[in-house]
mmCIF file with all atom_site columns, all heavy atoms in Angstrom:
data_model
loop_
_atom_site.group_PDB
_atom_site.id
_atom_site.type_symbol
_atom_site.label_atom_id
_atom_site.label_alt_id
_atom_site.label_comp_id
_atom_site.label_asym_id
_atom_site.label_entity_id
_atom_site.label_seq_id
_atom_site.pdbx_PDB_ins_code
_atom_site.Cartn_x
_atom_site.Cartn_y
_atom_site.Cartn_z
_atom_site.occupancy
_atom_site.B_iso_or_equiv
_atom_site.pdbx_formal_charge
_atom_site.auth_seq_id
_atom_site.auth_comp_id
_atom_site.auth_asym_id
_atom_site.auth_atom_id
_atom_site.pdbx_PDB_model_num
ATOM 1   N N   . VAL A 1 86  ? 15.024 -10.713 -2.889 1.00 0.00 ? 86  VAL A N   1
ATOM 2   C CA  . VAL A 1 86  ? 14.807 -10.255 -4.262 1.00 0.00 ? 86  VAL A CA  1
ATOM 3   C C   . VAL A 1 86  ? 15.901 -9.263  -4.631 1.00 0.00 ? 86  VAL A C   1
ATOM 4   O O   . VAL A 1 86  ? 16.552 -8.692  -3.755 1.00 0.00 ? 86  VAL A O   1
ATOM 5   C CB  . VAL A 1 86  ? 13.408 -9.594  -4.446 1.00 0.00 ? 86  VAL A CB  1
ATOM 6   C CG1 . VAL A 1 86  ? 12.287 -10.605 -4.289 1.00 0.00 ? 86  VAL A CG1 1
ATOM 7   C CG2 . VAL A 1 86  ? 13.197 -8.421  -3.498 1.00 0.00 ? 86  VAL A CG2 1
ATOM 8   N N   . ARG A 1 87  ? 16.083 -9.045  -5.942 1.00 0.00 ? 87  ARG A N   1
ATOM 9   C CA  . ARG A 1 87  ? 17.100 -8.101  -6.395 1.00 0.00 ? 87  ARG A CA  1
ATOM 10  C C   . ARG A 1 87  ? 16.432 -6.931  -7.103 1.00 0.00 ? 87  ARG A C   1
ATOM 11  O O   . ARG A 1 87  ? 15.313 -7.053  -7.590 1.00 0.00 ? 87  ARG A O   1
ATOM 12  C CB  . ARG A 1 87  ? 18.094 -8.801  -7.325 1.00 0.00 ? 87  ARG A CB  1
ATOM 13  C CG  . ARG A 1 87  ? 18.849 -9.954  -6.641 1.00 0.00 ? 87  ARG A CG  1
ATOM 14  C CD  . ARG A 1 87  ? 20.148 -10.283 -7.357 1.00 0.00 ? 87  ARG A CD  1
ATOM 15  N NE  . ARG A 1 87  ? 21.095 -9.197  -7.240 1.00 0.00 ? 87  ARG A NE  1
ATOM 16  C CZ  . ARG A 1 87  ? 22.182 -9.202  -6.458 1.00 0.00 ? 87  ARG A CZ  1
ATOM 17  N NH1 . ARG A 1 87  ? 22.464 -10.264 -5.718 1.00 0.00 ? 87  ARG A NH1 1
ATOM 18  N NH2 . ARG A 1 87  ? 22.987 -8.170  -6.425 1.00 0.00 ? 87  ARG A NH2 1
ATOM 19  N N   . GLY A 1 88  ? 17.093 -5.782  -7.097 1.00 0.00 ? 88  GLY A N   1
ATOM 20  C CA  . GLY A 1 88  ? 16.600 -4.635  -7.863 1.00 0.00 ? 88  GLY A CA  1
ATOM 21  C C   . GLY A 1 88  ? 15.793 -3.628  -7.073 1.00 0.00 ? 88  GLY A C   1
ATOM 22  O O   . GLY A 1 88  ? 15.360 -2.613  -7.624 1.00 0.00 ? 88  GLY A O   1
ATOM 23  N N   . VAL A 1 89  ? 15.564 -3.913  -5.801 1.00 0.00 ? 89  VAL A N   1
ATOM 24  C CA  . VAL A 1 89  ? 14.838 -2.954  -4.949 1.00 0.00 ? 89  VAL A CA  1
ATOM 25  C C   . VAL A 1 89  ? 15.552 -2.834  -3.599 1.00 0.00 ? 89  VAL A C   1
ATOM 26  O O   . VAL A 1 89  ? 16.280 -3.732  -3.195 1.00 0.00 ? 89  VAL A O   1
ATOM 27  C CB  . VAL A 1 89  ? 13.359 -3.365  -4.689 1.00 0.00 ? 89  VAL A CB  1
ATOM 28  C CG1 . VAL A 1 89  ? 12.450 -3.020  -5.842 1.00 0.00 ? 89  VAL A CG1 1
ATOM 29  C CG2 . VAL A 1 89  ? 13.249 -4.836  -4.322 1.00 0.00 ? 89  VAL A CG2 1
ATOM 30  N N   . SER A 1 90  ? 15.280 -1.728  -2.903 1.00 0.00 ? 90  SER A N   1
ATOM 31  C CA  . SER A 1 90  ? 15.893 -1.530  -1.585 1.00 0.00 ? 90  SER A CA  1
ATOM 32  C C   . SER A 1 90  ? 14.874 -1.824  -0.492 1.00 0.00 ? 90  SER A C   1
ATOM 33  O O   . SER A 1 90  ? 13.658 -1.846  -0.738 1.00 0.00 ? 90  SER A O   1
ATOM 34  C CB  . SER A 1 90  ? 16.377 -0.083  -1.462 1.00 0.00 ? 90  SER A CB  1
ATOM 35  O OG  . SER A 1 90  ? 15.256 0.777   -1.351 1.00 0.00 ? 90  SER A OG  1
ATOM 36  N N   . ALA A 1 91  ? 15.380 -1.973  0.725  1.00 0.00 ? 91  ALA A N   1
ATOM 37  C CA  . ALA A 1 91  ? 14.520 -2.197  1.898  1.00 0.00 ? 91  ALA A CA  1
ATOM 38  C C   . ALA A 1 91  ? 13.562 -1.021  2.086  1.00 0.00 ? 91  ALA A C   1
ATOM 39  O O   . ALA A 1 91  ? 12.383 -1.204  2.374  1.00 0.00 ? 91  ALA A O   1
ATOM 40  C CB  . ALA A 1 91  ? 15.399 -2.353  3.137  1.00 0.00 ? 91  ALA A CB  1
ATOM 41  N N   . HIS A 1 92  ? 14.077 0.169   1.877  1.00 0.00 ? 92  HIS A N   1
ATOM 42  C CA  . HIS A 1 92  ? 13.251 1.370   2.045  1.00 0.00 ? 92  HIS A CA  1
ATOM 43  C C   . HIS A 1 92  ? 12.071 1.333   1.074  1.00 0.00 ? 92  HIS A C   1
ATOM 44  O O   . HIS A 1 92  ? 10.917 1.600   1.451  1.00 0.00 ? 92  HIS A O   1
ATOM 45  C CB  . HIS A 1 92  ? 14.136 2.602   1.790  1.00 0.00 ? 92  HIS A CB  1
ATOM 46  C CG  . HIS A 1 92  ? 13.477 3.904   2.095  1.00 0.00 ? 92  HIS A CG  1
ATOM 47  N ND1 . HIS A 1 92  ? 14.130 5.097   1.991  1.00 0.00 ? 92  HIS A ND1 1
ATOM 48  C CD2 . HIS A 1 92  ? 12.220 4.217   2.481  1.00 0.00 ? 92  HIS A CD2 1
ATOM 49  C CE1 . HIS A 1 92  ? 13.312 6.088   2.320  1.00 0.00 ? 92  HIS A CE1 1
ATOM 50  N NE2 . HIS A 1 92  ? 12.139 5.574   2.609  1.00 0.00 ? 92  HIS A NE2 1
ATOM 51  N N   . GLU A 1 93  ? 12.354 0.986   -0.184 1.00 0.00 ? 93  GLU A N   1
ATOM 52  C CA  . GLU A 1 93  ? 11.290 0.966   -1.197 1.00 0.00 ? 93  GLU A CA  1
ATOM 53  C C   . GLU A 1 93  ? 10.221 -0.079  -0.879 1.00 0.00 ? 93  GLU A C   1
ATOM 54  O O   . GLU A 1 93  ? 9.019  0.199   -0.955 1.00 0.00 ? 93  GLU A O   1
ATOM 55  C CB  . GLU A 1 93  ? 11.917 0.715   -2.574 1.00 0.00 ? 93  GLU A CB  1
ATOM 56  C CG  . GLU A 1 93  ? 12.756 1.888   -3.048 1.00 0.00 ? 93  GLU A CG  1
ATOM 57  C CD  . GLU A 1 93  ? 13.729 1.559   -4.173 1.00 0.00 ? 93  GLU A CD  1
ATOM 58  O OE1 . GLU A 1 93  ? 14.003 0.357   -4.435 1.00 0.00 ? 93  GLU A OE1 1
ATOM 59  O OE2 . GLU A 1 93  ? 14.254 2.507   -4.782 1.00 0.00 ? 93  GLU A OE2 1
ATOM 60  N N   . VAL A 1 94  ? 10.667 -1.275  -0.491 1.00 0.00 ? 94  VAL A N   1
ATOM 61  C CA  . VAL A 1 94  ? 9.718  -2.368  -0.220 1.00 0.00 ? 94  VAL A CA  1
ATOM 62  C C   . VAL A 1 94  ? 8.858  -2.029  1.007  1.00 0.00 ? 94  VAL A C   1
ATOM 63  O O   . VAL A 1 94  ? 7.653  -2.270  1.023  1.00 0.00 ? 94  VAL A O   1
ATOM 64  C CB  . VAL A 1 94  ? 10.468 -3.716  -0.063 1.00 0.00 ? 94  VAL A CB  1
ATOM 65  C CG1 . VAL A 1 94  ? 9.521  -4.841  0.318  1.00 0.00 ? 94  VAL A CG1 1
ATOM 66  C CG2 . VAL A 1 94  ? 11.200 -4.068  -1.354 1.00 0.00 ? 94  VAL A CG2 1
ATOM 67  N N   . CYS A 1 95  ? 9.477  -1.421  2.013  1.00 0.00 ? 95  CYS A N   1
ATOM 68  C CA  . CYS A 1 95  ? 8.709  -1.044  3.214  1.00 0.00 ? 95  CYS A CA  1
ATOM 69  C C   . CYS A 1 95  ? 7.794  0.142   2.940  1.00 0.00 ? 95  CYS A C   1
ATOM 70  O O   . CYS A 1 95  ? 6.664  0.205   3.430  1.00 0.00 ? 95  CYS A O   1
ATOM 71  C CB  . CYS A 1 95  ? 9.652  -0.737  4.380  1.00 0.00 ? 95  CYS A CB  1
ATOM 72  S SG  . CYS A 1 95  ? 10.285 -2.240  5.133  1.00 0.00 ? 95  CYS A SG  1
ATOM 73  N N   . HIS A 1 96  ? 8.269  1.083   2.170  1.00 0.00 ? 96  HIS A N   1
ATOM 74  C CA  . HIS A 1 96  ? 7.479  2.280   1.870  1.00 0.00 ? 96  HIS A CA  1
ATOM 75  C C   . HIS A 1 96  ? 6.157  1.909   1.180  1.00 0.00 ? 96  HIS A C   1
ATOM 76  O O   . HIS A 1 96  ? 5.086  2.418   1.531  1.00 0.00 ? 96  HIS A O   1
ATOM 77  C CB  . HIS A 1 96  ? 8.301  3.224   0.994  1.00 0.00 ? 96  HIS A CB  1
ATOM 78  C CG  . HIS A 1 96  ? 7.574  4.449   0.564  1.00 0.00 ? 96  HIS A CG  1
ATOM 79  N ND1 . HIS A 1 96  ? 7.125  5.385   1.456  1.00 0.00 ? 96  HIS A ND1 1
ATOM 80  C CD2 . HIS A 1 96  ? 7.185  4.877   -0.658 1.00 0.00 ? 96  HIS A CD2 1
ATOM 81  C CE1 . HIS A 1 96  ? 6.493  6.352   0.795  1.00 0.00 ? 96  HIS A CE1 1
ATOM 82  N NE2 . HIS A 1 96  ? 6.518  6.054   -0.491 1.00 0.00 ? 96  HIS A NE2 1
ATOM 83  N N   . GLN A 1 97  ? 6.233  1.009   0.211  1.00 0.00 ? 97  GLN A N   1
ATOM 84  C CA  . GLN A 1 97  ? 5.010  0.594   -0.507 1.00 0.00 ? 97  GLN A CA  1
ATOM 85  C C   . GLN A 1 97  ? 4.045  -0.142  0.412  1.00 0.00 ? 97  GLN A C   1
ATOM 86  O O   . GLN A 1 97  ? 2.833  -0.031  0.281  1.00 0.00 ? 97  GLN A O   1
ATOM 87  C CB  . GLN A 1 97  ? 5.372  -0.301  -1.704 1.00 0.00 ? 97  GLN A CB  1
ATOM 88  C CG  . GLN A 1 97  ? 6.135  0.419   -2.792 1.00 0.00 ? 97  GLN A CG  1
ATOM 89  C CD  . GLN A 1 97  ? 5.360  1.606   -3.350 1.00 0.00 ? 97  GLN A CD  1
ATOM 90  O OE1 . GLN A 1 97  ? 4.195  1.488   -3.696 1.00 0.00 ? 97  GLN A OE1 1
ATOM 91  N NE2 . GLN A 1 97  ? 6.002  2.767   -3.415 1.00 0.00 ? 97  GLN A NE2 1
ATOM 92  N N   . PHE A 1 98  ? 4.590  -0.906  1.341  1.00 0.00 ? 98  PHE A N   1
ATOM 93  C CA  . PHE A 1 98  ? 3.750  -1.681  2.262  1.00 0.00 ? 98  PHE A CA  1
ATOM 94  C C   . PHE A 1 98  ? 3.024  -0.750  3.234  1.00 0.00 ? 98  PHE A C   1
ATOM 95  O O   . PHE A 1 98  ? 1.888  -1.003  3.630  1.00 0.00 ? 98  PHE A O   1
ATOM 96  C CB  . PHE A 1 98  ? 4.629  -2.671  3.029  1.00 0.00 ? 98  PHE A CB  1
ATOM 97  C CG  . PHE A 1 98  ? 3.850  -3.681  3.840  1.00 0.00 ? 98  PHE A CG  1
ATOM 98  C CD1 . PHE A 1 98  ? 3.176  -4.719  3.221  1.00 0.00 ? 98  PHE A CD1 1
ATOM 99  C CD2 . PHE A 1 98  ? 3.810  -3.600  5.228  1.00 0.00 ? 98  PHE A CD2 1
ATOM 100 C CE1 . PHE A 1 98  ? 2.456  -5.658  3.961  1.00 0.00 ? 98  PHE A CE1 1
ATOM 101 C CE2 . PHE A 1 98  ? 3.100  -4.525  5.981  1.00 0.00 ? 98  PHE A CE2 1
ATOM 102 C CZ  . PHE A 1 98  ? 2.427  -5.562  5.342  1.00 0.00 ? 98  PHE A CZ  1
ATOM 103 N N   . PHE A 1 99  ? 3.665  0.340   3.589  1.00 0.00 ? 99  PHE A N   1
ATOM 104 C CA  . PHE A 1 99  ? 3.090  1.288   4.546  1.00 0.00 ? 99  PHE A CA  1
ATOM 105 C C   . PHE A 1 99  ? 2.086  2.251   3.887  1.00 0.00 ? 99  PHE A C   1
ATOM 106 O O   . PHE A 1 99  ? 1.048  2.577   4.465  1.00 0.00 ? 99  PHE A O   1
ATOM 107 C CB  . PHE A 1 99  ? 4.225  2.089   5.203  1.00 0.00 ? 99  PHE A CB  1
ATOM 108 C CG  . PHE A 1 99  ? 3.752  3.207   6.078  1.00 0.00 ? 99  PHE A CG  1
ATOM 109 C CD1 . PHE A 1 99  ? 3.206  2.943   7.334  1.00 0.00 ? 99  PHE A CD1 1
ATOM 110 C CD2 . PHE A 1 99  ? 3.828  4.529   5.650  1.00 0.00 ? 99  PHE A CD2 1
ATOM 111 C CE1 . PHE A 1 99  ? 2.748  3.977   8.149  1.00 0.00 ? 99  PHE A CE1 1
ATOM 112 C CE2 . PHE A 1 99  ? 3.373  5.570   6.465  1.00 0.00 ? 99  PHE A CE2 1
ATOM 113 C CZ  . PHE A 1 99  ? 2.828  5.288   7.719  1.00 0.00 ? 99  PHE A CZ  1
ATOM 114 N N   . SER A 1 100 ? 2.409  2.693   2.682  1.00 0.00 ? 100 SER A N   1
ATOM 115 C CA  . SER A 1 100 ? 1.667  3.801   2.072  1.00 0.00 ? 100 SER A CA  1
ATOM 116 C C   . SER A 1 100 ? 0.211  3.453   1.738  1.00 0.00 ? 100 SER A C   1
ATOM 117 O O   . SER A 1 100 ? -0.059 2.519   0.978  1.00 0.00 ? 100 SER A O   1
ATOM 118 C CB  . SER A 1 100 ? 2.387  4.236   0.793  1.00 0.00 ? 100 SER A CB  1
ATOM 119 O OG  . SER A 1 100 ? 1.590  5.168   0.121  1.00 0.00 ? 100 SER A OG  1
ATOM 120 N N   . PRO A 1 101 ? -0.752 4.225   2.270  1.00 0.00 ? 101 PRO A N   1
ATOM 121 C CA  . PRO A 1 101 ? -2.161 3.952   1.956  1.00 0.00 ? 101 PRO A CA  1
ATOM 122 C C   . PRO A 1 101 ? -2.504 4.227   0.489  1.00 0.00 ? 101 PRO A C   1
ATOM 123 O O   . PRO A 1 101 ? -3.425 3.634   -0.057 1.00 0.00 ? 101 PRO A O   1
ATOM 124 C CB  . PRO A 1 101 ? -2.927 4.913   2.876  1.00 0.00 ? 101 PRO A CB  1
ATOM 125 C CG  . PRO A 1 101 ? -1.943 5.906   3.365  1.00 0.00 ? 101 PRO A CG  1
ATOM 126 C CD  . PRO A 1 101 ? -0.576 5.330   3.214  1.00 0.00 ? 101 PRO A CD  1
ATOM 127 N N   . ASP A 1 102 ? -1.721 5.111   -0.155 1.00 0.00 ? 102 ASP A N   1
ATOM 128 C CA  . ASP A 1 102 ? -2.033 5.519   -1.534 1.00 0.00 ? 102 ASP A CA  1
ATOM 129 C C   . ASP A 1 102 ? -2.024 4.356   -2.521 1.00 0.00 ? 102 ASP A C   1
ATOM 130 O O   . ASP A 1 102 ? -2.678 4.408   -3.551 1.00 0.00 ? 102 ASP A O   1
ATOM 131 C CB  . ASP A 1 102 ? -0.995 6.551   -2.043 1.00 0.00 ? 102 ASP A CB  1
ATOM 132 C CG  . ASP A 1 102 ? -0.871 7.736   -1.117 1.00 0.00 ? 102 ASP A CG  1
ATOM 133 O OD1 . ASP A 1 102 ? -1.679 7.830   -0.178 1.00 0.00 ? 102 ASP A OD1 1
ATOM 134 O OD2 . ASP A 1 102 ? 0.042  8.556   -1.324 1.00 0.00 ? 102 ASP A OD2 1
#
Side-chain angles (χ1 to χ4, degrees):
V86 293
R87 299 201 67 106
V89 280
S90 71
H92 187 177
E93 291 162 344
V94 176
C95 282
H96 177 63
Q97 293 301 311
F98 190 73
F99 173 75
S100 172
D102 306 352

